[in-house]
Amino acid sequence: MGRNVLLLGPQGAGKGTQAKRIEAEYGIPHIATGDMLREAITAGTELGRRVAPILAAGELVSDELMIELIRERLGRDDAEAGFVLDGFPRTMPQAEALDETLREIGRPLTVVFELQLPEEVCTERLTKRAALEGRVDDTPEVIRTRLALYRQETEPLVEHYRATGNLVGIHADRPVDEVFAEVQEAPEHLAV
Ligand code: AMP
C-alpha cells in the first residue's frame, strides 16, 4: 500500500524541503502542486497560461482545476509506491475530494504532518527566499495575501485531519535535520 504522506503548514514552514527529504529516504514521489503549476507556466501550456496571473497574485487556483490535476497525478504509476503531498489540499472542498479519491483507490493517508511556524517567521523566510529564488509571488504584498489565504482556507484542514486521527504536529522553527528527525520518528509513519 505504501506510505501516503501529507504535509500541511504555512508557506515558508519548509514543506518542500521536508518533502524532498521524505522522497529521498522512502522512495516515494514528492507531489507539489505549486511546482506542477510553475512547470506548466514555464512550458507555456494552456494550463500554464490560465494559472499564471493567479500565482502572480498569490490567489488560489480553482478547486475544480486543482482536483482534476491531483486526480490525474495520483493515478500515475509512480504514485503506487506512495506519495508525499505538498501544497494540496488547500481548501476544505479539496480535502473532501482528496478523501474521496483516496477512498476510491483504497489508499488512506498514512500520516499528516503539520509543520508549525509563527506567521512572522514565515514572512521573514519568504522574504529571504524572494532574494534567493526570485519567485514572482514572494513580494511583500503577495506574501501577505498568501499567508492570509493559508489562515482562512487551509488552516481549518488541521482540525479536519486531527479528527481522522493521524495528525502529527511538528515545530518547524528549527534546523532542517531536527525537523526531519521528528518526521522519521512518527510512529504512524514507521508502522508501514
Ligand atoms: P506553492 O508553491 O505551494 O506555494 O504554490 C504556489 C501557488 O500555486 C499558490 O500561491 C497558488 O496560487 C497555486 N496553488 C498551488 N497549489 C494549490 C492548490 N492546492 N489550490 C489552489 N492553488 C494552488
Side-chain angles (χ1 to χ4, degrees):
M1 186 160 73
R3 287 185 181 81
N4 308 320
V5 181
L6 171 59
L7 293 181
L8 283 177
Q11 295 85 346
K15 293 189 300 295
T17 304
Q18 293 301 322
K20 285 190 186 86
R21 297 284 293 264
I22 294 169
E23 175 177 56
E25 179 82 13
Y26 300 104
I28 52 181
H30 171 201
I31 300 180
T33 45
D35 290 348
M36 291 164 72
L37 297 173
R38 278 184 291 274
E39 278 160 24
I41 293 171
T42 305
T45 64
E46 145 114 56
L47 170 71
R49 279 195 295 277
R50 271 172 73 186
V51 302
I54 302 172
L55 268 79
E59 307 281 351
L60 293 177
V61 174
S62 76
D63 288 335
E64 199 187 1
L65 212 161
M66 294 310 302
I67 290 165
E68 193 186 316
L69 193 73
I70 206 75
R71 283 215 174 110
E72 190 275 324
R73 182 64 189 87
L74 289 176
R76 283 194 229 156
D77 288 350
D78 67 340
E80 263 169 43
F83 50 79
V84 47
L85 271 184
D86 159 17
F88 184 99
R90 256 178 159 94
T91 65
M92 198 54 95
Q94 291 182 16
E96 283 164 0
L98 178 66
D99 289 349
E100 192 191 312
T101 302
L102 295 179
R103 221 179 4 252
E104 274 166 22
I105 58 178
R107 300 269 303 278
L109 289 170
T110 313
V111 61
V112 179
F113 292 109
E114 184 204 1
L115 300 185
Q116 300 159 339
L117 196 72
E119 198 163 308
E120 58 279 11
V121 185
C122 295
T123 305
E124 246 169 64
R125 286 191 182 180
L126 293 174
T127 306
K128 275 192 200 131
R129 185 169 80 184
L132 291 171
E133 296 178 13
R135 269 177 62 158
V136 294
D137 57 352
D138 279 344
T139 65
E141 194 196 327
V142 178
I143 287 171
R144 264 195 303 278
T145 302
R146 290 161 63 213
L147 289 173
L149 280 170
Y150 179 79
R151 219 181 314 119
Q152 286 158 26
E153 302 290 337
T154 313
E155 206 166 61
L157 304 189
V158 172
E159 290 313 313
H160 174 79
Y161 289 112
R162 201 190 306 283
T164 65
N166 49 4
L167 183 80
V168 176
I170 299 182
H171 290 288
D173 198 2
R174 292 183 302 165
V176 171
D177 287 343
E178 277 181 36
V179 175
F180 187 60
E182 268 199 44
V183 163
Q184 290 179 291
E185 276 164 22
E188 294 87 344
H189 200 182
L190 294 175
V192 181

